[in-house]
Amino acid sequence: MEKTWRWFGKKDEITLTMLRQIGVEGIVTALHDVPNGEVWPLETVKEMKEYIESAGLRWSVVESLPVCEAIKYAGPDRDRLITNYIQSLTNLGKAGIKTVCYNFMPVIDWIRTDLNHPWPDGTTSLYFNKTRFAYFDLKILKRKHAEKDYSEKELMEVEKLGSRITGEEELELIDTVIVKTQGFVNGNIREGETEPVSVFRRLLSLYEGVDKGMLRENMRYFLAAVMPVCEKYGIDMCVHPDDPPFQMLGLPRIVTCEEDIAWILDAVDNPHNGLTFCAGSLSAGVHNDTRGLARRFAGRTRFVHLRSTETLSGGDFIESSHLSGRGHLIELIRVFESSNPGLPMRVDHGRMMLGDEKLGYNPGYSFHGRMLALAQVEGMMSVVQDELQEQRMRF
């Protein structure tokens, strides 16, 4: 597997020189300054590629070229936005960049309620608490009919939380759920809008009446439109699983399980319609076995995120060590190295440790924490490579 790293461009505190020194081979990045829906200019793509290559690395994966909300809910601008998307893919293809990770999650991307959950050793990691999220949904967002999505026990826990939560904690919860972890504001804020909850409510309203079947058909429409340019330039589109992989906020989520993934790959049955296998996202759902999913979809996997989660009681989950949890990363490495070798891989989220928390890194994207994770994964990769070499020698 190619060892890659999510890098946030020239403004990232983590430099390409630092990444070269810790064994990174490929860069996963995007043109973060281009607003959602606008074309990525060819010259800007080439400049970024050349900048990365001048550091002795390569631009391995685009993560991500965002799919605009109007494409997902089939708004009046859908075809224009898809045309722009195709032009961006064309420019990436002309520059020789062949792998694009994207998601089709309505409004909200990955969801956590705590960005600095403490571990006994003094490190912190990302955490999802079902009660705190339900409180956000019911008491802050005040989504219509939201109570129907929660059990009586969960509703009681929300009331208990409401009796002790402070105004400062509410603001922190808003910041965590819909500001610090989300890209939804990029290209979606209208002139005069300043309050994130009201922006979020408006975006949710765009999906009224859009059910799972409709969202699936909108995805099929999008994929069918972009596959010709992918075939022309050899570009692989790799859909990222929903994170977490279950329904949230009354929105349909369509990349949550084996049946969902199979539907997407069959809906537009083209080898360039592929999967980003995110072990962390998938393992956060108790219904998913990452090992079985890897075996079934290895042939259509084009990019791998290696991280792991541990599910807890009440619907909570925490991002665990890369050596533990429901991700079963060494088993996944065995699957991918034996059946689809050479895939780009990044360790994805890491803990905050050794002063990471003071350096302003994006949530989950620490330097020391991810460096530790990369070392752990590299060790697992070496074990698997030795196993495969022994097998080849026997036969």
Side-chain angles (χ1 to χ4, degrees), residues 164-181:
R164 64 178 187 272
I165 194 169
T166 67
E168 183 178 347
E169 288 173 330
E170 282 197 355
L171 290 174
E172 183 179 356
L173 186 59
I174 293 169
D175 201 40
T176 296
V177 175
I178 59 173
V179 179
K180 287 183 177 176
T181 60

Side-chain angles (χ1 to χ4, degrees), residues 25-38:
E25 298 163 333
I27 294 300
V28 177
T29 194
L31 299 185
H32 297 287
D33 292 334
V34 179
N36 288 5
E38 293 190 11

Side-chain angles (χ1 to χ4, degrees), residues 7 10 14-27 47-59:
W7 179 68
K10 297 176 184 179
I14 302 169
T15 67
L16 297 179
T17 300
M18 293 164 66
L19 298 181
R20 182 101 184 270
Q21 291 180 19
I22 65 171
V24 171
E25 298 163 333
I27 294 300
E47 193 276 332
M48 177 62 81
K49 182 172 183 276
E50 290 166 2
Y51 182 83
I52 292 168
E53 290 175 347
S54 70
L57 300 162
R58 82 180 193 98
W59 189 354

Side-chain angles (χ1 to χ4, degrees), residues 229-241:
V229 71
C230 291
E231 290 179 337
K232 180 176 180 178
Y233 291 102
I235 297 171
D236 292 324
M237 294 288 293
C238 320
V239 66
H240 189 288

Side-chain angles (χ1 to χ4, degrees), residues 69 72-73 104-109 111 133 136-137 141 143-144 146 149-150 178 182 184 200-213 215 242 244-256 260:
E69 297 299 327
K72 297 172 188 175
Y73 66 78
F104 219 78
M105 290 179 259
V107 181
I108 193 165
D109 292 348
I111 302 174
F133 183 78
F136 166 81
D137 190 9
L141 188 62
R143 180 171 62 88
K144 188 177 180 180
D149 292 347
Y150 302 99
I178 59 173
Q182 302 305 320
F184 83 92
F200 196 69
R201 288 193 187 106
R202 177 176 60 78
L203 292 173
L204 286 177
S205 71
L206 297 172
Y207 286 87
E208 289 180 5
V210 178
D211 61 15
K212 181 173 183 176
L215 189 61
D242 298 335
F246 39 79
Q247 307 308 304
M248 311 287 289
L249 297 168
L251 295 165
R253 285 163 87 85
I254 59 173
V255 199
T256 66
D260 283 347

